[in-house]
Amino acid sequence: MARALDRWIVGGILANGVAGLALLRLMPGNADTLGGICIGVAIGLSFVALLRRQLPAACDTAPLALRRRYSREMMIAMGAYVVLLVLSITLLKRVDGTALRACIALLPVPPIAMTLRAMIRYIRDVDELQQRIELQAVSFATACVSLLYLTGGLLQAARVLDVPASAAMIWVFPLVCLAYGLAKIAVSRRYR
């Protein structure tokens, strides 16, 4: 299971990296957004591969069936997210009505809700030690990102920094996920 998943991750990195570079190189201007998304997915998968290598073997004590369910739910949700994000970005360039723009802009939200549901179900169904590891990792991640966001807000209010609010808001959830992965490595090493 682990080797097959590693192969899928490496394949995803290569496919998205090559597709993104090809789109940026072969069709500059026309496919910048899609090429950027492909490059972003490749970078995200690279972080996943790095985190998988850093996690201790005993970090996840969940039964194989539970891990498979979680992986399947996450892959489906993330695949739907990427598809709906590309669709949303493409459609927003062609639509003018405010209500319709709001609906289109929110297309990627349900797959993120599916991701959160998968995470919650996973944490609910693992044993107490794994729940403790997950809780501490999520707590550290949200605390760090909250501190970062607060710091950025204070610098913005002091006119030292000028970051568009939409850019800052969009990055909160991915930063929490990245910080969670890093925190899980640190926390799980305590329980080896």
Side-chain angles (χ1 to χ4, degrees), residues 1-9 52 64 67-68 71:
M1 164 81 177
R3 286 186 180 172
L5 184 58
D6 289 340
R7 285 189 205 120
W8 276 101
I9 291 170
R52 280 185 54 80
L64 182 60
R67 286 184 283 160
R68 282 185 176 160
S71 295

Side-chain angles (χ1 to χ4, degrees), residues 6 10 27 35 84 125 135 138 173 180 184:
D6 289 340
V10 170
M27 296 189 294
L84 290 174
D125 294 341
L135 175 64
V138 167
F173 185 71
Y180 160 75
K184 186 172 177 180

Side-chain angles (χ1 to χ4, degrees), residues 5-18 38 41-43 45-46:
L5 184 58
D6 289 340
R7 285 189 205 120
W8 276 101
I9 291 170
V10 170
I13 292 168
L14 293 174
N16 280 289
V18 168
C38 288
V41 169
I43 291 169
L45 286 172
S46 298

Side-chain angles (χ1 to χ4, degrees), residues 92 97-107:
L92 283 173
T98 305
L100 187 55
R101 287 183 64 77
C103 291
I104 292 170
L106 296 175
L107 280 176

Side-chain angles (χ1 to χ4, degrees), residues 6-190:
D6 289 340
R7 285 189 205 120
W8 276 101
I9 291 170
V10 170
I13 292 168
L14 293 174
N16 280 289
V18 168
L21 289 174
L23 285 168
L24 292 173
R25 192 99 162 116
L26 299 175
M27 296 189 294
N30 297 336
D32 284 350
T33 302
L34 187 55
I37 289 171
C38 288
I39 298 291
V41 169
I43 291 169
L45 286 172
S46 298
F47 279 120
V48 168
L50 176 69
L51 292 175
R52 280 185 54 80
R53 286 192 122 2
Q54 295 300 316
L55 285 171
C59 175
D60 197 348
T61 59
L64 182 60
L66 180 57
R67 286 184 283 160
R68 282 185 176 160
R69 182 190 78 192
Y70 176 70
S71 295
R72 182 179 56 251
E73 289 176 355
M74 288 297 284
M75 295 285 201
I76 291 169
M78 288 293 96
Y81 172 73
V82 169
V83 168
L84 290 174
L85 181 63
V86 169
L87 180 65
S88 173
I89 290 169
T90 304
L91 290 176
L92 283 173
K93 293 176 183 176
R94 298 183 173 114
V95 174
D96 289 329
T98 305
L100 187 55
R101 287 183 64 77
C103 291
I104 292 170
L106 296 175
L107 280 176
V109 172
I112 295 300
M114 289 170 48
T115 299
L116 293 172
R117 178 181 178 267
M119 291 173 162
I120 291 166
R121 286 182 61 186
Y122 173 78
I123 292 170
R124 181 195 64 204
D125 294 341
V126 294
D127 65 21
E128 289 84 7
L129 174 61
Q130 191 65 40
Q131 284 180 348
R132 185 176 184 148
I133 291 170
E134 301 294 338
L135 175 64
Q136 288 180 11
V138 167
S139 298
F140 293 147
T142 53
C144 290
V145 172
S146 296
L147 180 62
L148 178 69
Y149 202 76
L150 174 67
T151 303
L154 292 171
L155 290 172
Q156 181 107 2
R159 294 190 181 117
V160 173
L161 184 64
D162 188 25
V163 177
S166 62
M169 285 186 214
I170 286 173
W171 281 100
V172 171
F173 185 71
L175 283 174
V176 169
C177 291
L178 176 63
Y180 160 75
L182 296 173
K184 186 172 177 180
I185 291 169
V187 170
S188 62
R189 290 185 188 277
R190 285 186 54 203

